[in-house]
Amino acid sequence: MIETVLIHGGKREPLIQGALTSPIFQSSTYASAEWGKAKYIRFGNTPNHEELQARLALLEGAEAALVTSSGMAAIATAMFALLRPGDHVISHNSLYGCTYRLFEETLRPLGIETDYVDMTVDALDLEALRRPTTKAVYLEAISNPTLGIPDFDAVLEFSGRHGLTTLIDNTFATPVNFRPIEAGFDVVIHSASKYLNGHTDLVAGVIVGRADFVEECRQTMLKLGAALDPHAIFLLQRGLKTLAIRVRQQNESAMAIARHLSERPEVEAVRYPLLGAAAGRAKRHLQGGGGVVSFDLGSSDRALQFVHALRIATVAPSLGGCETLVMVPALLSHATLDPEVRRRMGVRDGLVRMAVGLESTADLIADIDQALDGLSNATVQPSTA
Ligand SMILES: *Cc1c(COP(=O)(O)O)cnc(C)c1O
């Protein structure tokens, strides 16, 4: 079971000096006379790397895993390992802001083009976007920040029919709520900076998949210089132990907050995977809805006023830690995107994204209520519009 894998999966046997926690091997290089056996931090193959990678592969039910210096390093490494100039990608239209920028500002000028489509619609048909050069399909398990669930069955059926590689960013769902490899996806990517680590104190990324592809990624990573440092590995492995209990608590708390927000007249559209029109699909695929809730307060002024009135939550990008974080995506994570691209992604100006932490749910709801109460008073004078 996942709880046991998080703590014991792939652990070193025998234990070094009986230590339950693996020491940090703070050594850049290792004694060896043959290239094939050389260990070096940048190669991603030191004892710390190998223990954590074995655990992550078991966690996602994959043949192999690779840790990288950030989530973006994982995405870039996987794309560079897979794609060549002239290749074409079909992507979900709602993506982490920097992923979209990687596709448009880095890959497109190199001749790797991406077309975007809303993969959460009913009767999804990707055929019209396919080109002879289409190589991969890219999506996020729960898309950020609109929290839609793509039609996984349609994506997998289409990709299988044409032999395309499917890559899915599972950061928001985590393997506690969704295991894409078991569902049939080829490559799973994580920003381990979020839930996997869970303590808002490092950046790291993960790629999992078939052993040959992960080795291809490792060869690409060592050329890009995107390996993770052993000290960060130690922290990530420590954070990972509590992933299951953290995520289940965050699932519950976020669901209660989403329900509560739905009852407040100031809030226009609450988005949470297990609520609303798309809840059926989410329930079929996910064990839980995750810790992120989005909702619309009508304008960026109202959204900003609300987030600054909160006393417990900090206004900041990122998610997946113990502390509740809140932000207005149009002004922060998605601020550098063209307003038209934001609109296509469903990132409205008044959208607030709350990444629920591990504080008391009752305290968080009381805090939200006092902030919303202040908002209703302020709307009596239309000066903020
Ligand atoms: C944060 C995030 C990333 C980027 O990860 P970093 O570790 O910050 O580089 C990619 N995808 C999603 C869904 C994220 O939330």
Side-chain angles (χ1 to χ4, degrees), residues 236-284:
L236 174 52
Q237 196 157 311
R238 180 164 80 158
L240 200 59
K241 291 182 185 181
T242 54
L243 178 73
I245 56 169
R246 283 188 283 105
V247 169
R248 289 198 184 113
Q249 168 63 28
Q250 282 161 322
N251 282 344
E252 242 178 68
S253 202
M255 179 72 157
I257 288 170
R259 284 218 171 96
H260 184 79
L261 285 165
S262 313
E263 287 160 12
R264 293 282 316 212
E266 300 85 348
V267 178
E268 282 183 26
V270 179
R271 301 186 204 199
Y272 187 68
L274 299 179
L275 288 183
R281 184 183 294 160
K283 279 183 196 144
R284 225 166 348 103

Side-chain angles (χ1 to χ4, degrees), residues 212-228:
D212 56 350
F213 181 70
V214 170
E215 176 57 20
E216 195 66 44
C217 287
R218 194 175 72 83
Q219 294 297 332
T220 301
M221 180 194 74
L222 66 84
K223 286 172 275 186
L224 295 176
L228 190 61

